[in-house]
Amino acid sequence: MPPIRILVVDDAVVARRVISEILSEEDGLEVVGTAPNGRIAMTKIERLKPDLVTLDIDMPELDGMETLRRIRAEAPGVDVIMVSNLTQRGARVTVDALFLGAADYVTKATRTGSPEAARRHLREQLLPKIRALYLGRRPKPKAEDEVSAPRSRKGAERPAPVELVAIGASTGGPNALAEVLGCFPRGFVAPVVIVQHMPKNFTSYLAKRLDSRCALNVKEAEDGVVVRPGDVWIAPGDVHIKLRRRRDDVRIETDDGGLVNSCRPSVDVLFESVAQS
């Protein structure tokens, strides 16, 4: 297969170099160019025809959000991964970018770490997200290889009513969640709990954005809250959530324990508690 062609866009020389080196060291990826701002990036996208753009948010002349809008309008086939800061503003802008059509995002390390730690931080985020983005586009299996869902039999026992909906999401999650939750009617018969892999600051703003776009009440989860029909609870960044059934209700418990499958929050922690409850 041909390599994935990538354009790196960042106003910082060091960031452009580090991201380019990380990507160039990986088989199947090719950095076809770099740009210091969105205006230059748009001319290079037209000329170089990349598959993917890594796009910094804060840039002169044409910032990341306006560049993303232009890419979606003028080169809709190009994927975009935003490069964000771990700040309140970075969280807000990044979530907005995901709703505008960015495929995913990575975060820059804080200034307290060493250059090597910052490089490792970017590498550990960026490469898996690129793989996830493009592995998901492999050809679908042939019809004869697909497994059909079993057909219901006449007289079969009616399924039990749904008590809870539990959802896990990562790459592309915010847009998928907006679409799914938008289909749920007001007065939905079950509570909804969600793990979306995001850091601190990001999940509270995601909850606000989703709350404004659907008929259900979407909030960031808190320890001890009772889950009720019509409410949607999103796991806070960097915290696991579990469900515990008590005598008269089911409550959310938060847990800041270790990473599970490299994630916190982890959907595995939530799903295991759902099964137990």
Side-chain angles (χ1 to χ4, degrees), residues 181-182 184-187 210-211 213-217 230:
L181 295 179
F184 288 16
R186 189 177 300 278
L210 290 172
D211 184 65
R213 295 181 60 154
C214 73
L216 306 183
N217 301 313

Side-chain angles (χ1 to χ4, degrees), residues 156-219:
E157 186 178 335
R158 287 185 61 130
V162 172
E163 288 187 86
L164 178 94
V165 176
I167 300 174
S170 187
T171 299
N175 275 322
L177 291 173
E179 186 168 346
V180 170
L181 295 179
C183 296
F184 288 16
R186 189 177 300 278
F188 186 64
V189 296
V192 182
V193 286
I194 296 171
V195 166
Q196 165 69 57
H197 296 145
M198 279 185 159
K200 288 181 179 178
N201 297 337
F202 286 61
T203 46
S204 59
Y205 190 69
L206 174 65
K208 292 176 183 176
R209 284 298 307 267
L210 290 172
D211 184 65
S212 70
R213 295 181 60 154
C214 73
L216 306 183
N217 301 313
V218 185
K219 300 177 183 178

Side-chain angles (χ1 to χ4, degrees), residues 16-250:
R16 291 201 303 273
R17 186 186 75 241
V18 169
I19 295 173
S20 296
E21 289 174 355
I22 289 170
L23 298 173
S24 297
E25 291 166 0
E26 189 74 4
D27 290 341
L29 305 181
E30 179 186 0
V31 176
V32 296
T34 65
N37 59 57
R39 182 180 57 79
I40 295 174
M42 291 309 300
T43 63
K44 290 197 173 186
I45 288 171
E46 184 178 0
R47 178 166 56 86
L48 298 173
K49 303 291 191 293
D51 303 302
L52 171 69
V53 172
T54 67
L55 184 60
D56 188 29
I57 288 175
D58 295 312
M59 298 182 296
E61 297 194 46
L62 195 67
D63 67 13
M65 289 297 286
E66 186 56 35
T67 304
L68 174 62
R69 290 186 181 93
R70 294 194 184 185
I71 292 173
R72 295 274 61 84
E74 300 173 24
V78 176
D79 294 310
V80 178
I81 292 181
M82 306 301 293
V83 181
S84 169
N85 291 309
L86 280 169
T87 62
Q88 196 70 39
R89 179 184 178 278
R92 177 180 58 78
V93 175
T94 301
V95 172
D96 287 344
L98 293 171
F99 280 100
L100 277 175
D104 213 319
Y105 68 96
V106 296
T107 56
K108 295 178 179 178
T110 60
R111 298 179 184 275
T112 56
S114 66
E116 186 53 42
R119 179 190 181 94
R120 184 169 59 251
H121 175 83
L122 263 176
R123 180 184 182 86
E124 289 174 353
Q125 295 179 87
L126 189 53
L127 296 180
K129 290 187 176 184
I130 293 175
R131 292 192 195 102
L133 189 59
Y134 288 93
L135 283 175
R137 296 181 182 175
R138 289 180 297 184
K140 292 183 178 180
K142 296 178 181 178
E144 59 266 24
D145 296 332
E146 294 181 350
V147 178
S148 299
R151 296 184 179 181
S152 59
R153 300 188 304 275
K154 285 186 177 181
E157 186 178 335
R158 287 185 61 130
V162 172
E163 288 187 86
L164 178 94
V165 176
I167 300 174
S170 187
T171 299
N175 275 322
L177 291 173
E179 186 168 346
V180 170
L181 295 179
C183 296
F184 288 16
R186 189 177 300 278
F188 186 64
V189 296
V192 182
V193 286
I194 296 171
V195 166
Q196 165 69 57
H197 296 145
M198 279 185 159
K200 288 181 179 178
N201 297 337
F202 286 61
T203 46
S204 59
Y205 190 69
L206 174 65
K208 292 176 183 176
R209 284 298 307 267
L210 290 172
D211 184 65
S212 70
R213 295 181 60 154
C214 73
L216 306 183
N217 301 313
V218 185
K219 300 177 183 178
E220 192 174 46
E222 299 176 14
D223 189 62
V225 298
V226 177
V227 296
R228 302 186 189 281
D231 287 342
V232 180
W233 298 100
I234 296 180
D238 208 29
V239 177
H240 299 304
I241 61 170
K242 303 175 181 178
L243 294 185
R244 287 284 180 264
R245 185 183 291 278
R246 300 173 187 257
R247 182 175 300 175
D248 299 320
D249 56 41
V250 176

